[in-house]
Amino acid sequence: MSIDDDLTRTIAIEARLGMVAQGLGRDANALIQEMRELPFELIEAFVETDFVVTDGEITYVLNISQTMPDTLTAALQSLSAHSITIVTAWNPYSAKLSNYDNRERQSLLERVLRMRGEHWLSAKGTSKDGSWAEESFAILNLSHTQAAAIGRVFQQHAVVFCNTGSVVELVPCFTESA
């Protein structure tokens, strides 16, 4: 792939994320500047990931810059939920850990969520081709700021956040202003 192709892909993803941020009343320029601190391949991986939320026997798929499925909005509203945040404790700052270590970290995240009295659904982030997946939690009713804070605590570059019926956002976790 040429440098021009890479630049075109970068601009397209930045534009898409910026338009989503702006549409949600967030500072698009600040988001793009924060994202530029991450390797482009990582941002591209987030954008290309399917975030699968499971509620009993029903699964829902969320994708960055896409609107939350109406069926998930209805399910969350029936749970009196106004937002959903997908967080993992796997692979801190993208460092590949063993499955054992990742499960230990995920168990710690679950204990923290229980101590905080949070409500969540099971979730996972997975590549479209199924070559990798990370266990996650879809936490209900966090604010945008709380979502970023939990991601920071568990050493994540970003988390996935969405108000019910809205557009799915990628929220950087590495700055206090998120």
Side-chain angles (χ1 to χ4, degrees):
M1 194 164 285
S2 75
I3 292 174
D4 288 341
D5 291 340
D6 287 344
L7 183 58
T8 299
R9 284 186 10 245
T10 301
I11 291 169
I13 287 176
E14 284 183 356
R16 193 162 99 190
L17 294 176
M19 287 184 349
V20 166
Q22 187 174 21
L24 294 169
R26 307 210 195 286
D27 185 342
N29 290 327
L31 174 69
I32 290 169
Q33 289 304 315
E34 290 173 356
M35 290 296 173
R36 286 183 177 162
E37 295 180 32
L38 296 175
F40 174 73
E41 296 77 21
L42 181 60
I43 296 169
E44 190 173 43
F46 273 114
V47 170
E48 294 300 318
T49 296
D50 284 336
F51 296 94
V52 181
V53 176
T54 304
D55 182 11
E57 299 293 317
I58 303 169
T59 60
Y60 310 93
V61 179
L62 297 173
N63 296 101
I64 304 296
S65 300
Q66 302 296 314
T67 302
M68 178 185 286
D70 292 340
T71 52
L72 179 56
T73 295
L76 291 175
Q77 288 172 337
S78 75
L79 297 170
S80 298
H82 58 77
S83 71
I84 190 168
T85 302
I86 300 176
V87 179
T88 187
W90 281 51
N91 300 322
Y93 297 129
S94 302
K96 300 291 183 201
L97 299 182
S98 69
N99 283 341
Y100 176 81
D101 288 338
N102 279 323
R103 286 193 178 98
E104 287 293 310
R105 290 177 56 82
Q106 196 70 6
S107 179
L108 177 59
L109 173 55
E110 182 176 358
R111 288 194 303 273
V112 167
L113 296 177
R114 285 186 193 284
M115 286 178 11
R116 288 176 46 98
E118 303 293 353
H119 298 283
W120 68 85
L121 301 172
S122 178
K124 68 178 175 178
T126 183
S127 62
K128 294 194 185 301
D129 66 5
S131 63
W132 64 266
E134 292 182 351
E135 295 174 17
S136 303
F137 293 104
I139 308 164
L140 308 181
N141 294 329
L142 293 180
S143 70
H144 199 260
T145 302
Q146 290 170 320
I150 287 179
R152 269 193 305 280
V153 168
F154 284 90
Q155 301 171 305
Q156 299 301 304
H157 290 294
V159 297
V160 175
F161 177 85
C162 190
N163 284 310
T164 53
S166 191
V167 177
V168 180
E169 301 176 68
L170 184 61
V171 178
C173 295
F174 42 85
T175 65
E176 293 295 325
S177 63

